[in-house]
């Protein structure tokens, strides 16, 4: 995918229902157990749809090269979501993909 220069998005927050469909979880790194920042082959029992949404958006962004910057994403995140992800597996994905979070 990796062909989009800019994404502006607002994920579907608020759902308390985790996605437990194995075929969906298998399609996402965050659908797997994360060990040392890397997804394993072990699927989770379920994952929040908003985390899967963010991972999918990241996958659409253009990769950086030596001669050009990668894609950028402007995203509305709930304050609680950001605090939770700092210690969780999504926080690792955010750090690895060089996303800057701005809270004011």
């Amino acid at each position: 995918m990796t062909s989009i220069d800019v994404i502006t998005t607002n994920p579907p927050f608020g759902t308390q229902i985790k996605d437990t469909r194995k075929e969906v979880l298998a399609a996402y790194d965050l659908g797997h157990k994360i060990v040392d920042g890397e997804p394993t082959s072990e699927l989770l029992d379920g994952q929040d749809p908003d985390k899967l949404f963010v991972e999918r958006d990241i996958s659409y962004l253009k990769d950086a090269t030596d001669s050009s910057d990668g894609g950028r994403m402007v995203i509305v995140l709930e304050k609680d979501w950001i605090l939770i992800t700092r210690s969780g597996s999504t926080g690792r994905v955010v750090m690895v993909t060089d996303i800057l979070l701005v809270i004011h």
Side-chain angles (χ1 to χ4, degrees):
M1 292 181 217
T2 67
S3 62
I4 306 296
D5 288 314
V6 178
I7 294 175
T8 304
T9 185
N10 184 3
F13 297 111
T15 180
Q16 298 298 321
I17 301 170
K18 291 185 182 270
D19 198 325
T20 59
R21 296 172 294 169
K22 298 300 181 194
E23 66 276 10
V24 172
L25 295 171
Y28 293 89
D29 287 348
L30 294 176
H32 294 80
K33 182 177 179 183
I34 305 290
V35 175
D36 295 328
E38 297 294 327
T40 65
S41 60
E42 182 181 348
L43 290 178
L44 298 174
D45 292 332
Q47 181 60 277
D48 297 327
D50 56 327
K51 291 178 179 64
L52 301 178
F53 184 95
V54 170
E55 180 180 330
R56 179 55 48 105
D57 283 347
I58 290 169
S59 75
Y60 289 139
L61 294 173
K62 184 187 299 183
D63 290 330
T65 65
D66 290 337
S67 61
S68 67
D69 292 336
R72 291 176 169 76
M73 181 166 52
V74 177
I75 185 169
V76 176
L77 293 175
E78 294 179 322
K79 181 179 175 184
D80 292 340
W81 193 91
I82 296 169
L83 296 174
I84 290 167
T85 59
R86 285 189 178 166
S87 62
S89 60
T90 307
R92 178 73 176 147
V93 170
V94 168
M95 288 189 334
V96 168
T97 54
D98 297 325
I99 293 177
L100 175 62
L101 300 175
V102 179
I103 307 170
H104 58 92

